[in-house]
Amino acid sequence: MPDVARTSISVYASAAFVVSDGVAEGDAVSFMDELVLDDVYQLSETARRRALTYEKGDGSGFVVADDTEIGTPGNLLFLDCTITLMGRDGTTYEALILVEVEGEEAAEIYLMPLAALSPDDAYQLVGADRDTAAAKFGEVACVRFARGTHITLASGAQVPIEELQIGDRVLTRDAGPQAIRWIGETTLRAVGDFAPVVITEGALFNTRDLLLSPDHRLFIYQREDRLGAGRPEVLVKVRHLINGATVYQRDGGFVDYYQLLFDDHQIIYAEGIAAETLLVDSRTRAALPADATQGDLRDHAAAPHHAFEVAESLANRPDVVSLLKHASSS
């Protein structure tokens, strides 16, 4: 079994981000060896981020999956570098560069911004490095709960996540009471892929507003398969539930995030609804401190519930939140 589940990331094709002023004027963004510092880039007005789906390959890279929206299935995909951009007002933005390879040639370059870019701004390239790319890529995939989230303990008590301690026993859906192995705490700029998604109170039977990182997956048991997944049990990324009303992304300022790690990847209860805990795989491991993963850590990718994740195309409908709420209660 591969040690990374099939995953989708949201990217721009290179032609969407072009040098408007500088040495490489007219050229699309490229891999690190071809970038020129101080070149100014502009995002196309028609640019649209698309889902690039990949799975783990045999070597250090990934393989573009069959159900990808962009890219050629079977081609290799490599993480190249992190770039740092500066907008006209001096705000800095980071993005990742990924390279799709066919044979021995680069078939396409992808830009994965870590904060929202606008076609109305211009972005000066002020930095590029390979040393931070793996950790940045892993950070996006590290699921997080916001400060204040109430977690259900084995005793039934509802405890704010910031009050939990290593060794506390938490109620899990599949394995009963389980002890917390490690707790991560970080404060991040609440922008782009790090801006929390707010699931408003009651939207999915949650007892309070629930704030999660965008790639966090909720577990939902459908009494009736209204989603058309072909099974009652589904995992849905919260970014695919955003409807601008009952589920929305809160962009701006800072957010205090917490990560919960168990010996196995678990489904626990946050504000009364089922949500996943931190998954350790070859991508997220690069973003975690050594003390989190040392010792007897089991193969998180082997958890059977990974097969329950639904593709964005299946969740991409305006009524998906109400549909899932009714499906889980009917």
Side-chain angles (χ1 to χ4, degrees), residues 14-15 17-30 34 36 39-42:
S14 59
F17 201 60
V18 174
V19 177
S20 58
D21 184 27
V23 173
E25 184 172 352
D27 289 351
V29 69
S30 189
E34 293 190 352
V36 180
D39 274 358
V40 177
Y41 287 80
Q42 196 102 25

PDB file of all heavy atoms in Angstrom, residues 14-15 17-30 34 36 39-42:
ATOM      1  N   SER A  14       1.530  27.071 -15.244  1.00  0.00           N
ATOM      2  CA  SER A  14       2.566  28.107 -15.309  1.00  0.00           C
ATOM      3  C   SER A  14       2.158  29.294 -16.171  1.00  0.00           C
ATOM      4  O   SER A  14       2.503  30.443 -15.870  1.00  0.00           O
ATOM      5  CB  SER A  14       3.867  27.504 -15.842  1.00  0.00           C
ATOM      6  OG  SER A  14       3.675  26.953 -17.132  1.00  0.00           O
ATOM      7  N   ALA A  15       1.376  29.052 -17.231  1.00  0.00           N
ATOM      8  CA  ALA A  15       0.994  30.126 -18.152  1.00  0.00           C
ATOM      9  C   ALA A  15       0.106  31.167 -17.493  1.00  0.00           C
ATOM     10  O   ALA A  15      -0.081  32.267 -18.038  1.00  0.00           O
ATOM     11  CB  ALA A  15       0.286  29.543 -19.370  1.00  0.00           C
ATOM     12  N   PHE A  17       0.843  32.657 -14.708  1.00  0.00           N
ATOM     13  CA  PHE A  17       1.665  33.564 -13.897  1.00  0.00           C
ATOM     14  C   PHE A  17       2.912  33.903 -14.699  1.00  0.00           C
ATOM     15  O   PHE A  17       3.837  33.103 -14.819  1.00  0.00           O
ATOM     16  CB  PHE A  17       2.035  32.871 -12.577  1.00  0.00           C
ATOM     17  CG  PHE A  17       2.434  33.803 -11.470  1.00  0.00           C
ATOM     18  CD1 PHE A  17       1.574  34.777 -10.997  1.00  0.00           C
ATOM     19  CD2 PHE A  17       3.678  33.682 -10.862  1.00  0.00           C
ATOM     20  CE1 PHE A  17       1.936  35.622  -9.952  1.00  0.00           C
ATOM     21  CE2 PHE A  17       4.054  34.518  -9.826  1.00  0.00           C
ATOM     22  CZ  PHE A  17       3.175  35.489  -9.370  1.00  0.00           C
ATOM     23  N   VAL A  18       2.907  35.106 -15.288  1.00  0.00           N
ATOM     24  CA  VAL A  18       3.901  35.468 -16.305  1.00  0.00           C
ATOM     25  C   VAL A  18       4.644  36.730 -15.893  1.00  0.00           C
ATOM     26  O   VAL A  18       4.077  37.635 -15.258  1.00  0.00           O
ATOM     27  CB  VAL A  18       3.201  35.674 -17.669  1.00  0.00           C
ATOM     28  CG1 VAL A  18       4.166  36.190 -18.719  1.00  0.00           C
ATOM     29  CG2 VAL A  18       2.573  34.363 -18.131  1.00  0.00           C
ATOM     30  N   VAL A  19       5.924  36.817 -16.272  1.00  0.00           N
ATOM     31  CA  VAL A  19       6.732  38.004 -15.985  1.00  0.00           C
ATOM     32  C   VAL A  19       6.226  39.172 -16.830  1.00  0.00           C
ATOM     33  O   VAL A  19       6.195  39.111 -18.065  1.00  0.00           O
ATOM     34  CB  VAL A  19       8.221  37.749 -16.295  1.00  0.00           C
ATOM     35  CG1 VAL A  19       9.032  39.025 -16.050  1.00  0.00           C
ATOM     36  CG2 VAL A  19       8.753  36.602 -15.442  1.00  0.00           C
ATOM     37  N   SER A  20       5.783  40.245 -16.159  1.00  0.00           N
ATOM     38  CA  SER A  20       5.291  41.442 -16.852  1.00  0.00           C
ATOM     39  C   SER A  20       6.354  42.519 -16.961  1.00  0.00           C
ATOM     40  O   SER A  20       6.258  43.432 -17.781  1.00  0.00           O
ATOM     41  CB  SER A  20       4.062  42.005 -16.123  1.00  0.00           C
ATOM     42  OG  SER A  20       4.374  42.312 -14.770  1.00  0.00           O
ATOM     43  N   ASP A  21       7.410  42.406 -16.147  1.00  0.00           N
ATOM     44  CA  ASP A  21       8.487  43.391 -16.186  1.00  0.00           C
ATOM     45  C   ASP A  21       9.751  42.748 -15.612  1.00  0.00           C
ATOM     46  O   ASP A  21       9.741  42.217 -14.503  1.00  0.00           O
ATOM     47  CB  ASP A  21       8.106  44.635 -15.371  1.00  0.00           C
ATOM     48  CG  ASP A  21       9.153  45.731 -15.460  1.00  0.00           C
ATOM     49  OD1 ASP A  21       9.876  45.788 -16.474  1.00  0.00           O
ATOM     50  OD2 ASP A  21       9.258  46.534 -14.509  1.00  0.00           O
ATOM     51  N   GLY A  22      10.836  42.778 -16.392  1.00  0.00           N
ATOM     52  CA  GLY A  22      12.078  42.201 -15.897  1.00  0.00           C
ATOM     53  C   GLY A  22      12.854  41.493 -16.976  1.00  0.00           C
ATOM     54  O   GLY A  22      12.506  41.533 -18.167  1.00  0.00           O
ATOM     55  N   VAL A  23      13.900  40.796 -16.555  1.00  0.00           N
ATOM     56  CA  VAL A  23      14.801  40.129 -17.482  1.00  0.00           C
ATOM     57  C   VAL A  23      14.065  39.087 -18.334  1.00  0.00           C
ATOM     58  O   VAL A  23      14.301  38.951 -19.528  1.00  0.00           O
ATOM     59  CB  VAL A  23      15.951  39.456 -16.705  1.00  0.00           C
ATOM     60  CG1 VAL A  23      16.820  38.611 -17.638  1.00  0.00           C
ATOM     61  CG2 VAL A  23      16.810  40.517 -16.001  1.00  0.00           C
ATOM     62  N   ALA A  24      13.165  38.348 -17.701  1.00  0.00           N
ATOM     63  CA  ALA A  24      12.473  37.261 -18.404  1.00  0.00           C
ATOM     64  C   ALA A  24      11.068  37.676 -18.847  1.00  0.00           C
ATOM     65  O   ALA A  24      10.161  36.847 -18.901  1.00  0.00           O
ATOM     66  CB  ALA A  24      12.398  36.038 -17.510  1.00  0.00           C
ATOM     67  N   GLU A  25      10.895  38.939 -19.184  1.00  0.00           N
ATOM     68  CA  GLU A  25       9.573  39.451 -19.544  1.00  0.00           C
ATOM     69  C   GLU A  25       8.897  38.556 -20.594  1.00  0.00           C
ATOM     70  O   GLU A  25       9.498  38.188 -21.599  1.00  0.00           O
ATOM     71  CB  GLU A  25       9.679  40.877 -20.071  1.00  0.00           C
ATOM     72  CG  GLU A  25       8.331  41.515 -20.367  1.00  0.00           C
ATOM     73  CD  GLU A  25       8.444  42.994 -20.712  1.00  0.00           C
ATOM     74  OE1 GLU A  25       9.558  43.557 -20.577  1.00  0.00           O
ATOM     75  OE2 GLU A  25       7.420  43.576 -21.113  1.00  0.00           O
ATOM     76  N   GLY A  26       7.647  38.221 -20.325  1.00  0.00           N
ATOM     77  CA  GLY A  26       6.878  37.376 -21.233  1.00  0.00           C
ATOM     78  C   GLY A  26       6.953  35.900 -20.921  1.00  0.00           C
ATOM     79  O   GLY A  26       6.160  35.118 -21.447  1.00  0.00           O
ATOM     80  N   ASP A  27       7.892  35.495 -20.061  1.00  0.00           N
ATOM     81  CA  ASP A  27       8.047  34.073 -19.725  1.00  0.00           C
ATOM     82  C   ASP A  27       7.147  33.705 -18.551  1.00  0.00           C
ATOM     83  O   ASP A  27       6.925  34.492 -17.628  1.00  0.00           O
ATOM     84  CB  ASP A  27       9.490  33.751 -19.348  1.00  0.00           C
ATOM     85  CG  ASP A  27      10.431  33.792 -20.538  1.00  0.00           C
ATOM     86  OD1 ASP A  27       9.934  33.898 -21.675  1.00  0.00           O
ATOM     87  OD2 ASP A  27      11.656  33.743 -20.318  1.00  0.00           O
ATOM     88  N   ALA A  28       6.657  32.475 -18.586  1.00  0.00           N
ATOM     89  CA  ALA A  28       5.865  31.951 -17.481  1.00  0.00           C
ATOM     90  C   ALA A  28       6.779  31.555 -16.327  1.00  0.00           C
ATOM     91  O   ALA A  28       7.977  31.329 -16.508  1.00  0.00           O
ATOM     92  CB  ALA A  28       5.055  30.746 -17.948  1.00  0.00           C
ATOM     93  N   VAL A  29       6.205  31.488 -15.137  1.00  0.00           N
ATOM     94  CA  VAL A  29       6.975  31.049 -13.973  1.00  0.00           C
ATOM     95  C   VAL A  29       7.557  29.669 -14.259  1.00  0.00           C
ATOM     96  O   VAL A  29       6.945  28.840 -14.947  1.00  0.00           O
ATOM     97  CB  VAL A  29       6.087  31.047 -12.711  1.00  0.00           C
ATOM     98  CG1 VAL A  29       5.018  29.963 -12.772  1.00  0.00           C
ATOM     99  CG2 VAL A  29       6.926  30.931 -11.456  1.00  0.00           C
ATOM    100  N   SER A  30       8.751  29.417 -13.729  1.00  0.00           N
ATOM    101  CA  SER A  30       9.444  28.171 -14.040  1.00  0.00           C
ATOM    102  C   SER A  30      10.093  27.618 -12.784  1.00  0.00           C
ATOM    103  O   SER A  30       9.857  28.104 -11.677  1.00  0.00           O
ATOM    104  CB  SER A  30      10.495  28.422 -15.129  1.00  0.00           C
ATOM    105  OG  SER A  30      11.045  27.208 -15.590  1.00  0.00           O
ATOM    106  N   GLU A  34      15.730  28.521 -13.400  1.00  0.00           N
ATOM    107  CA  GLU A  34      15.433  29.457 -14.479  1.00  0.00           C
ATOM    108  C   GLU A  34      14.816  30.767 -13.984  1.00  0.00           C
ATOM    109  O   GLU A  34      14.546  31.661 -14.783  1.00  0.00           O
ATOM    110  CB  GLU A  34      14.494  28.805 -15.499  1.00  0.00           C
ATOM    111  CG  GLU A  34      15.146  27.649 -16.259  1.00  0.00           C
ATOM    112  CD  GLU A  34      14.298  27.162 -17.418  1.00  0.00           C
ATOM    113  OE1 GLU A  34      13.132  27.609 -17.542  1.00  0.00           O
ATOM    114  OE2 GLU A  34      14.801  26.331 -18.209  1.00  0.00           O
ATOM    115  N   VAL A  36      14.596  34.469 -12.193  1.00  0.00           N
ATOM    116  CA  VAL A  36      15.468  35.642 -12.074  1.00  0.00           C
ATOM    117  C   VAL A  36      14.911  36.538 -10.977  1.00  0.00           C
ATOM    118  O   VAL A  36      13.770  37.016 -11.064  1.00  0.00           O
ATOM    119  CB  VAL A  36      15.537  36.429 -13.396  1.00  0.00           C
ATOM    120  CG1 VAL A  36      16.449  37.642 -13.239  1.00  0.00           C
ATOM    121  CG2 VAL A  36      16.016  35.531 -14.533  1.00  0.00           C
ATOM    122  N   ASP A  39      12.402  39.964 -11.013  1.00  0.00           N
ATOM    123  CA  ASP A  39      11.386  39.953 -12.057  1.00  0.00           C
ATOM    124  C   ASP A  39      10.017  40.151 -11.417  1.00  0.00           C
ATOM    125  O   ASP A  39       9.764  39.700 -10.295  1.00  0.00           O
ATOM    126  CB  ASP A  39      11.405  38.631 -12.826  1.00  0.00           C
ATOM    127  CG  ASP A  39      12.411  38.632 -13.970  1.00  0.00           C
ATOM    128  OD1 ASP A  39      13.060  39.671 -14.184  1.00  0.00           O
ATOM    129  OD2 ASP A  39      12.548  37.588 -14.643  1.00  0.00           O
ATOM    130  N   VAL A  40       9.138  40.835 -12.143  1.00  0.00           N
ATOM    131  CA  VAL A  40       7.799  41.136 -11.636  1.00  0.00           C
ATOM    132  C   VAL A  40       6.780  40.287 -12.398  1.00  0.00           C
ATOM    133  O   VAL A  40       6.763  40.281 -13.632  1.00  0.00           O
ATOM    134  CB  VAL A  40       7.472  42.632 -11.787  1.00  0.00           C
ATOM    135  CG1 VAL A  40       6.040  42.920 -11.333  1.00  0.00           C
ATOM    136  CG2 VAL A  40       8.466  43.477 -10.984  1.00  0.00           C
ATOM    137  N   TYR A  41       5.936  39.585 -11.645  1.00  0.00           N
ATOM    138  CA  TYR A  41       4.955  38.671 -12.230  1.00  0.00           C
ATOM    139  C   TYR A  41       3.538  39.228 -12.091  1.00  0.00           C
ATOM    140  O   TYR A  41       3.228  39.976 -11.159  1.00  0.00           O
ATOM    141  CB  TYR A  41       5.011  37.307 -11.542  1.00  0.00           C
ATOM    142  CG  TYR A  41       6.220  36.485 -11.900  1.00  0.00           C
ATOM    143  CD1 TYR A  41       7.455  36.723 -11.284  1.00  0.00           C
ATOM    144  CD2 TYR A  41       6.147  35.469 -12.846  1.00  0.00           C
ATOM    145  CE1 TYR A  41       8.574  35.966 -11.607  1.00  0.00           C
ATOM    146  CE2 TYR A  41       7.262  34.702 -13.172  1.00  0.00           C
ATOM    147  CZ  TYR A  41       8.461  34.954 -12.545  1.00  0.00           C
ATOM    148  OH  TYR A  41       9.574  34.202 -12.872  1.00  0.00           O
ATOM    149  N   GLN A  42       2.685  38.805 -13.025  1.00  0.00           N
ATOM    150  CA  GLN A  42       1.274  39.178 -12.994  1.00  0.00           C
ATOM    151  C   GLN A  42       0.445  37.906 -13.196  1.00  0.00           C
ATOM    152  O   GLN A  42       0.778  37.042 -14.023  1.00  0.00           O
ATOM    153  CB  GLN A  42       0.952  40.169 -14.110  1.00  0.00           C
ATOM    154  CG  GLN A  42      -0.370  40.890 -13.928  1.00  0.00           C
ATOM    155  CD  GLN A  42      -0.186  42.302 -13.415  1.00  0.00           C
ATOM    156  OE1 GLN A  42       0.858  42.927 -13.602  1.00  0.00           O
ATOM    157  NE2 GLN A  42      -1.212  42.831 -12.768  1.00  0.00           N
TER     158      GLN A  42
END
